[in-house]
Amino acid sequence: EVQLQQSGAELVKPGASVKLSCKTSGYTFSNYYMSWLKQMPGQNIEWIGNIYGGNGGTGYNQKFKGKATLTVDKSSSTAYMDLSSLTSEDSAVYFCARRAWGARRYFDYWGQGVMVTVSS
Amino acid sequence: DIQMTQSPASLSASLGETVSIECLASEGISNDLAWYQQKSGKSPQLLIYAASRLQDGVPSRFSGSGSGTRYSLKISGMQPEDEADYFCQQSYKYPLTFGSGTKLEIK
């Protein structure tokens, strides 16, 4: 069974950074892309970027370049996202989601989401 | 970026009723469209991909259609468990973009 288990909720101060994790199981991590997505309360879902589990190759939404950094640890089948210089606009739920096999750019499995709250 | 305009923003349906949700892309996306269901407080779940292909395990009352820039999701016979938010997503070009969502409630 494919599972994506995200780390717990974060309360961080403005200007700080946070690192979110997404531990996977049930499939071959290095054969798939992992994406990260942002959902603000009652709003659209935004695609932040993706990273290939095999070699760590990344692609970002221009909007999130400089804000988000994606990495992977193949040994633990875990994907990470660093968010830097946090502001209130970064308060949201963040999901990791596995991209479907091959070149398909939709998401067949999602983590449970993690709430990030930026507040002093 | 490709803009996805989704309508209606909200919808109320009786049990057993057939409902449709539409997405209009700002340019042609060659059937590279997915639909997701998101229940309150949960993560989205894939329903339809490639505009009309049903994801494994999804009930057959869900169907997708469309071409070019216009796509739709149909639920044939509303069930209580279908009360949720629904989103479309274009998978044609980066950056991947989503519609603004449709809140479907039971009347």
Side-chain angles (χ1 to χ4, degrees):
Chain A
E1 180 192 6
V2 174
Q3 292 191 331
L4 281 62
Q5 183 64 42
Q6 296 187 239
S7 45
E10 299 274 2
L11 173 60
V12 292
K13 295 191 184 309
S17 298
V18 69
K19 188 169 188 171
L20 309 181
S21 66
C22 174
K23 183 167 177 57
T24 73
S25 60
Y27 72 98
T28 303
F29 181 78
S30 57
N31 287 353
Y32 288 82
Y33 284 89
M34 185 69 75
S35 275
W36 289 84
L37 303 104
K38 176 184 180 182
Q39 186 173 35
M40 296 178 76
Q43 294 197 28
N44 255 14
I45 300 170
E46 295 181 280
W47 176 77
I48 295 170
N50 53 214
I51 185 165
Y52 187 55
N55 61 10
T58 55
Y60 292 91
N61 185 337
Q62 185 69 29
K63 178 179 178 179
F64 292 95
K65 280 187 176 178
K67 169 62 66 178
T69 303
L70 307 185
T71 55
V72 293
D73 176 0
K74 284 199 298 183
S75 67
S76 63
S77 299
T78 302
Y80 297 93
M81 178 172 68
D82 273 291
L83 296 170
S84 63
S85 304
L86 291 166
T87 72
S88 59
E89 287 301 302
D90 298 314
S91 293
V93 175
Y94 292 88
F95 294 98
C96 59
R98 190 184 82 165
R99 258 183 52 185
W101 174 257
R104 300 180 181 95
R105 300 171 186 164
Y106 51 85
F107 311 107
D108 57 359
Y109 288 92
W110 294 64
Q112 80 274 23
V114 57
M115 172 76 78
V116 174
T117 303
V118 182
S119 174
S120 54
Chain B
D1 298 2
I2 296 176
Q3 306 302 313
M4 303 300 294
T5 302
Q6 190 172 337
S7 63
S10 63
L11 185 55
S12 183
S14 302
L15 293 178
E17 186 176 344
T18 293
V19 300
S20 286
I21 299 168
E22 295 197 343
C23 257
L24 177 66
S26 58
E27 62 184 82
I29 57 172
S30 294
N31 290 1
D32 284 337
L33 185 100
W35 290 96
Y36 299 88
Q37 177 192 66
Q38 185 178 29
K39 295 185 179 179
S40 182
K42 302 292 187 182
S43 53
Q45 291 197 324
L46 178 66
L47 297 174
I48 301 281
Y49 63 93
S52 61
R53 297 193 175 196
L54 199 65
Q55 175 69 351
D56 290 345
V58 174
S60 59
R61 64 179 178 275
F62 291 92
S63 62
S65 63
S67 62
T69 62
R70 291 185 177 274
Y71 299 86
S72 62
L73 172 71
K74 185 166 75 172
I75 306 172
S76 300
M78 175 82 178
Q79 298 299 305
E81 60 267 29
D82 299 336
E83 189 169 75
D85 293 333
Y86 292 83
F87 295 90
C88 60
Q89 177 233 326
Q90 65 83 13
S91 54
Y92 181 67
K93 188 187 287 187
Y94 287 119
L96 309 177
T97 49
F98 288 76
S100 53
T102 295
K103 178 177 285 295
L104 176 59
E105 296 177 324
I106 295 173
K107 193 182 291 182

